[in-house]
Amino acid sequence: MSQAATDYHPMWESLGLDLPSHDALLAAIPVMYADAYLSQTGRPEGMSYFDFVLSEIHGLRIKELLDHKAAGGTVIGTFCLYVPEEIIRALGGLCVGLCAGAEWAYGEVERILPQNTCALIKSAMGFKLGKVCPYAEACDLVVGETTCDGKKKAYELLAEMAPLHVMELPQMKRPEDRTLWRAEIERLIAKLEEVSGRTLTAEALAAATKEVNDKRRALQRLNAARKASPAPISGKDALLAVQVAFYDDVPRFTTMVNKIADELEARVAAGEGVGAPGAPRILVTGTPMAIPNWKMHDVIEKAGGVVVIEELCTGSRYYSKLVDETPTDLSGMIDAITDKYLDINCACFTPNSARIDDVIRLAKEYEVDGIIQYDLQFCGPYQIEATFVTRAAQDAGIPVLRIDTDYSAGDVGQLSTRVEAFLEMIG
Ligand code: BJ8
C-alpha cells in the first residue's frame, strides 16, 4: 500500500473516497502485512509479485480499472463464487471481488444491520458506507446473489448505494433447480449486455472461458505442490494467491502463479519447504477469508503448524473445478457455465454433503494431521454444517478443532492457546 512512487489521491478523490479515512486504512494494512507475511522466512521468491500487488492494491490496479473503463470497458463487482467471471469478461468487463476482510465503520453499519451479523457482511457494508474501497466505487454494476439470508437482505440496503443486480441462486441441486439457475445466468447476460452495450458472442465467451480456466489451472498447480512434505509454501502465501485472484489482471496473474508453481515444483524436487521439520499439516475449512483477513492462518502458522490446503471459497472451492471448454455454440457454453457454477458446494445449499466429502478427500490427499473448522460468528449455514464436518472427520479418524471467530484481534491470544494445544495433541 505504498504511496511512495505515485500520489493517487486525485484518483481516489475522483472516485469519491473519504480521503482521511482511506489514508488511515492504507496506513494500517502494511503493518498487518509486514507482521503476517514479511516476517516469514523461506518464502518462495515468486511471492515478491504478491508483495508488489499488495503494495499497489488501491493504486496501480485501480488505475488499470479506470483506464479500462475509459477505453469503453466496464468494472463489475461481485461477492460470491457463483457469479460467472467468464460472462463478465466476455462482455468487456473486469470482475472484482468486493468481500472485505477487516472491521471498518462498524458504528455506521450497526445503525442499519443487526450487531449479530457476520463479519464478512458487516465489513463489506462498512467499506461501502465508509467510502474507503476504490473497487466498490469503480463498479458500473454490483452483482449479488441469494445465498445466505444476511447477504440477501444486506443487498436490499446496498441497492440504495450502488447499481445492483441480484441473481436468484437455488438452494438445492435438483434438475428443476438447474433450470432456474440457467435462466438466472441468461438474466445476468441480458443485464450485462445492457450495462456494457455489447452482445455476447460464442467467440468472446470461449476466449474468456479459456482465460479463467487457465487462471484456475495455475492455482491448481500451485496447490498441488502443497501435497509434498515438507510443504514448499506457507498456507498464508497460498491463501494470498487465491485472495488476489479475485481482482488481479487475469492473464498476468496466471503467468505469475505459473512461475511460482515452477518454483514450488523445483523446491519439492529438492526436498525444500517451509515450517519446522515435522510441523503438523493442517486443512482449514469453513467461511471465506477476504483480504486482509489472514487471522486464522497467521495464528496456526505462528503456533508451529503449516496449513497445506483450504476447503474454502478462498481456496479449493474457487479453483478446483473448470468450465467444460468443448462446446462450440453459445447455448452449449452457457450450459457448461451453468453446470460448473451449480457444482460449487456452499453451505447455503441443502443438502451439502459433497462439501463434507471434499473435506475428507482433501484431508487424505494432503495427508493432514488435523482439520481446523473455521467459521465466522453468526454464519448459520457454516456454523451448523460444522457439525457434519466434525462427525465426518471423527469417523475418518482425523482430529478436528472448531473455531468460531470474527475479524477483531481481541481473541487472537485465546485462539493461539487453543491452536497450540491442538497442534501439540496431534503433533
Ligand atoms: S459460495 S461461502 S462466497 S455465499 S460468512 S456472508 S454465508 S453469513 S460468504 Fe459465501 Fe458465496 Fe457461499 Fe462462498 Fe453469509 Fe456466512 Fe456471512 Fe458468508
Side-chain angles (χ1 to χ4, degrees):
M1 299 251 171
S2 157
Q3 299 165 30
T6 309
D7 181 7
Y8 291 112
H9 282 85
M11 178 177 79
W12 295 327
E13 192 168 18
S14 74
L15 287 170
L17 295 192
D18 178 330
L19 294 181
S21 296
H22 185 247
D23 283 349
L25 175 69
L26 289 201
I29 293 191
V31 178
M32 291 172 66
Y33 190 71
D35 178 55
Y37 280 88
L38 304 181
S39 62
Q40 298 179 100
T41 53
R43 293 177 83 203
E45 281 176 23
M47 286 307 294
S48 59
Y49 172 67
F50 289 100
D51 295 342
F52 173 73
V53 167
L54 262 283
S55 74
E56 287 288 341
I57 195 168
H58 282 195
L60 192 57
R61 184 61 185 144
I62 299 299
K63 184 174 180 311
E64 288 176 349
L65 298 183
L66 297 182
D67 289 347
H68 175 77
K69 282 163 68 101
T74 57
V75 174
I76 309 296
T78 65
F79 290 95
C80 180
L81 292 202
Y82 285 100
V83 182
E85 181 172 11
E86 295 83 352
I87 290 170
I88 292 171
R89 291 184 70 78
L91 283 163
L94 296 182
C95 186
V96 291
L98 298 180
C99 291
E103 294 184 338
W104 199 264
Y106 270 21
E108 279 183 73
V109 172
E110 286 172 9
R111 272 187 229 126
I112 59 170
L113 291 177
Q115 197 183 4
N116 58 354
T117 302
C118 89
L120 197 142
I121 296 172
K122 279 165 94 168
S123 170
M125 290 297 272
F127 274 64
K128 182 67 190 167
L129 287 166
K131 292 190 186 304
V132 292
C133 179
Y135 290 91
E137 303 310 321
C139 285
D140 297 287
L141 181 73
V142 174
V143 182
E145 70 318 305
T146 58
T147 44
C148 65
D149 287 351
K151 272 181 156 183
K152 200 159 54 192
K153 299 311 285 183
Y155 290 140
E156 293 176 17
L157 292 162
L158 189 62
E160 296 171 356
M161 299 175 248
L164 183 82
H165 173 87
V166 177
M167 299 182 78
E168 183 176 353
L169 187 72
Q171 311 275 285
M172 299 176 88
K173 297 185 181 177
R174 302 160 306 180
E176 55 267 44
D177 301 309
R178 196 249 185 217
T179 303
L180 167 75
W181 182 233
R182 195 186 192 286
E184 282 301 296
I185 289 180
E186 296 272 8
R187 209 167 61 83
L188 176 70
I189 292 169
K191 182 66 187 178
L192 290 171
E193 286 182 334
E194 178 197 317
V195 171
S196 65
R198 303 181 191 206
T199 302
L200 187 65
T201 65
E203 196 184 11
L205 190 54
T209 298
K210 178 167 185 326
E211 270 183 343
V212 178
N213 273 349
D214 284 346
K215 168 165 70 165
R216 296 199 166 105
R217 278 189 272 261
L219 285 167
Q220 287 174 2
R221 271 190 73 202
L222 183 154
N223 285 285
R226 301 168 76 195
K227 288 180 186 169
S229 182
I233 184 171
S234 70
K236 265 188 285 200
D237 279 330
L239 170 67
L240 183 64
V242 182
Q243 289 175 327
V244 169
F246 284 86
Y247 55 84
D248 199 8
D249 176 75
V250 174
R252 179 177 62 208
F253 176 90
T254 302
T255 302
M256 300 314 291
V257 171
N258 273 318
K259 277 191 185 157
I260 296 175
D262 291 341
E263 189 184 345
L264 299 189
E265 287 162 9
R267 280 186 162 205
V268 170
E272 291 169 13
V274 297
R281 298 167 62 84
I282 300 295
L283 177 149
V284 175
T285 181
T287 48
M289 300 173 176
I291 279 185
N293 177 16
W294 306 304
K295 179 174 164 178
M296 197 65 244
H297 280 51
D298 196 42
V299 164
I300 295 167
E301 297 196 331
K302 282 184 176 157
V306 177
V307 180
V308 293
I309 188 66
E310 297 80 14
E311 193 285 321
L312 300 173
C313 283
T314 44
S316 64
R317 273 180 244 142
Y318 179 78
Y319 57 74
S320 62
K321 290 167 187 164
L322 304 177
V323 176
D324 181 6
E325 291 178 46
T326 53
T328 50
D329 64 305
L330 196 52
S331 177
M333 291 176 194
I334 295 170
D335 276 331
I337 287 172
T338 302
D339 292 334
K340 186 269 173 198
Y341 281 87
L342 197 59
D343 199 22
I344 297 167
N345 298 321
C346 175
C348 297
F349 279 81
T350 184
N352 192 35
S353 51
R355 173 179 164 234
I356 315 304
D357 296 343
D358 276 348
V359 170
I360 302 304
R361 177 182 55 78
L362 288 169
K364 290 179 178 164
E365 276 178 22
Y366 283 76
E367 297 182 355
V368 307
D369 299 299
I371 293 175
I372 293 195
Q373 163 72 49
Y374 157 93
D375 290 315
L376 289 174
Q377 284 163 359
F378 312 120
C379 173
Y382 280 91
Q383 287 185 301
I384 293 172
E385 209 162 275
T387 301
F388 295 107
V389 173
T390 303
R391 271 192 211 151
Q394 286 168 346
D395 289 348
I398 306 166
V400 58
L401 175 67
R402 183 173 169 175
I403 302 277
D404 296 274
T405 184
D406 57 17
Y407 287 171
S408 78
D411 62 352
V412 166
Q414 187 207 47
L415 291 184
S416 299
T417 306
R418 291 184 60 205
V419 169
E420 279 162 18
F422 180 66
L423 296 181
E424 202 178 309
M425 181 190 87
I426 66 178

